[in-house]
Amino acid sequence: MANKLTLTDVEDIISTHVAYWDACQHIQNSLTKMLKQELFKDQSYIALYNRNDVIIEPAAAHSVIEGYIASLYPKAPAVIVGPDAKQQGQPEIVEGVVNRFLYDQSEVIERAMKNALVYPFSFLKLALLPEAESIIDQIEMKPVFPWDVVIDFDADKFESSRFVGHRYWLPISTARQRFPGVKFKGELKRNYLNTTEAKPVKGTPLSGSGILSYVEIYEIYDLMNDALIFFSDNLERTDKIIERVSPIPFRKYNGQPLSPMVPIYFSQAIDVPLQGESTLRRVYDSIVELINLRTVWANGIRKEARQMIARKGALDEEAKAIFSENRDGAILEIEALPGESIVGAIQPIPVVGLAPDFSVYESLIERDLSTGTMMGSFARGN
């Protein structure tokens, strides 16, 4: 058994985790905005266009993610269970119990899978509900964003991890109930994806047990030493470890310690596998190009107005009004010089149309989207 994790070890693990996700925050925010069709509302993109331009954001990101979910994820997930190697056990009972559980958790699993497509990876966390009457209902799952999971990136696979952790927020009143006798200082809850100017900084204090006062908790599973460590910077003392629990209350079939965190990866990074890779990030540049193209196209069409040129004084105000209103069957009277043909009195101003290369470029972008996702346009709903 390895030496137990010290306070310094835990602080190093958490600070490394925070630094990594702080560096990734901009792209995670951009991926979120792209999915919500709000990417070009960012000031850095608005500056590329004129103030009165119309910005068109097609639902390309939504199409990519929902296309994956529709093709990979059944609405009612189920498994088939057979007898074990010794032709023993009760596979019918196991199959019924598992499928009932999967059916109840289908919405949670779908949310976690969407997160794993948009972001580098996702997790599900299992929790016990001992107060539930049925044993099947005593286990629940909830999706966890990747930046809320502390991962041992030095491990080549999740099963080889030396530790794994979960960061979450508790209302200060709940934290005091869960850890009686521990003194906490509350703060304003911080949202990782919050990009507004009003974003609270770490440690923004809130006194008392107000409804907006929270405590940030790190739940670290030391798999080397079979110990569960609760850590919080919100403690009113130097030692920020709230409590150590040993052994870990979750076990594998062979009795080894286990964390309740279940990873979901659709793609792994080539150099650091557990950092994962976002499926949406792979086609990010193509979708940005599609937004640019459709925006330029839309504004170009709106600028294709009918404009005419006429000899000064050829039309009086009434004639101009009739012409601009495009009245059906209207007769325009114009002032023409003796011997002058009225045909040349009014001439249309030629309009330079959009280049046909726009359509060619759009087809190239669609091809890039299909290549980047390994999905045809029909699977993405196009």
Side-chain angles (χ1 to χ4, degrees):
M1 182 173 290
N3 294 329
K4 73 174 185 178
L5 294 179
T6 65
L7 173 61
T8 301
D9 292 331
V10 175
E11 289 176 335
D12 287 346
I13 290 171
I14 292 174
S15 63
T16 301
H17 164 82
V18 172
Y20 175 79
W21 286 106
D22 280 351
C24 299
Q25 187 178 33
H26 176 72
I27 184 59
Q28 310 309 327
N29 277 321
S30 296
L31 292 171
T32 304
K33 289 180 178 179
M34 175 174 282
L35 188 65
K36 297 166 67 176
Q37 295 172 256
E38 297 177 352
L39 180 63
F40 273 48
K41 291 182 180 179
D42 188 284
Q43 292 299 323
S44 60
Y45 287 103
I46 291 177
L48 299 175
Y49 299 100
N50 296 324
R51 183 178 60 184
N52 296 324
D53 280 352
V54 176
I55 296 178
I56 305 298
E57 292 198 44
H62 180 80
S63 176
V64 168
I65 301 304
E66 293 299 330
Y68 261 103
I69 294 297
S71 60
L72 299 178
Y73 182 74
K75 286 298 181 182
V79 297
I80 297 176
V81 180
D84 60 19
K86 296 182 179 181
Q87 298 297 309
Q88 297 177 353
Q90 296 176 306
E92 298 84 3
I93 295 177
V94 174
E95 182 176 314
V97 170
V98 171
N99 287 338
R100 154 73 191 282
F101 176 77
L102 290 175
Y103 180 80
D104 291 344
Q105 301 293 330
S106 59
E107 183 178 342
V108 174
I109 297 172
E110 183 176 350
R111 286 171 56 196
M113 292 179 68
K114 286 182 180 179
N115 290 343
L117 289 167
V118 177
Y119 308 115
F121 54 87
S122 177
F123 270 75
L124 286 165
K125 185 178 184 182
L126 301 175
L128 297 177
L129 296 175
E131 67 276 7
E133 295 182 3
S134 170
I135 190 172
I136 301 177
D137 298 326
Q138 289 183 358
I139 299 178
E140 72 166 355
M141 293 191 301
K142 67 176 182 178
V144 181
F145 289 112
W147 46 85
D148 289 329
V149 182
V150 181
I151 294 181
D152 181 9
F153 285 142
D154 290 333
D156 59 347
K157 58 182 180 179
F158 186 72
E159 292 76 11
S160 304
S161 300
R162 296 166 296 172
F163 57 84
V164 62
H166 178 210
R167 184 202 74 135
Y168 53 88
W169 293 87
L170 288 178
I172 192 169
S173 57
T174 304
R176 287 169 176 166
Q177 292 174 3
R178 184 172 296 184
F179 305 103
V182 179
K183 294 184 178 181
F184 294 100
K185 51 184 178 182
E187 65 172 302
L188 198 61
K189 183 178 179 180
R190 304 186 307 279
N191 179 4
Y192 178 80
L193 293 175
N194 185 356
T195 57
T196 65
E197 294 181 359
K199 177 180 178 181
V201 297
K202 181 177 177 60
T204 302
L206 284 174
S207 60
S209 58
I211 194 170
L212 296 180
S213 189
Y214 283 83
V215 173
E216 185 181 32
I217 303 288
Y218 280 90
E219 195 176 280
I220 305 295
Y221 292 84
D222 179 2
L223 301 174
M224 300 178 294
N225 299 288
D226 197 5
L228 171 58
I229 302 169
F230 293 93
F231 176 96
S232 178
D233 260 337
N234 296 101
L235 264 64
E236 294 183 351
R237 67 188 190 205
T238 305
D239 186 354
K240 303 298 184 180
I241 293 180
I242 306 172
E243 183 182 12
R244 290 180 185 265
V245 178
S246 186
I248 293 174
F250 303 97
R251 319 303 291 182
K252 295 181 180 179
Y253 69 94
N254 58 3
Q256 292 183 347
L258 177 71
S259 82
M261 309 300 292
V262 181
I264 302 177
Y265 285 81
F266 280 98
S267 183
Q268 293 185 324
I270 190 67
D271 51 346
V272 186
L274 292 186
Q275 286 184 355
E277 285 188 352
S278 162
T279 299
L280 184 58
R281 177 66 183 90
R282 195 176 294 124
V283 293
Y284 180 90
D285 291 345
S286 296
I287 294 178
V288 169
E289 278 299 278
L290 182 61
I291 296 172
N292 273 314
L293 176 64
R294 293 293 297 275
T295 296
V296 172
W297 211 337
N299 287 284
I301 290 173
R302 284 164 173 77
K303 292 173 182 176
E304 286 190 0
R306 287 187 310 127
Q307 293 180 319
M308 309 295 289
I309 187 171
R311 178 176 54 78
K312 186 175 181 179
L315 300 175
D316 58 20
E317 295 302 320
E318 182 181 1
K320 292 178 182 178
I322 294 173
F323 187 82
S324 62
E325 292 173 6
N326 198 25
R327 299 178 191 174
D328 184 38
I331 298 176
L332 302 181
E333 294 183 356
I334 64 174
E335 297 287 343
L337 297 175
E340 179 187 10
S341 172
I342 62 172
V343 175
I346 304 176
Q347 293 288 336
I349 298 178
V351 176
V352 179
L354 294 171
D357 292 342
F358 276 84
S359 298
V360 176
Y361 191 42
E362 185 179 33
S363 65
L364 290 176
I365 294 173
E366 287 291 340
R367 188 182 68 180
D368 289 342
L369 285 173
S370 298
T371 303
T373 59
M374 301 301 293
M375 294 170 58
S377 59
F378 65 90
R380 291 185 281 109
N382 295 342

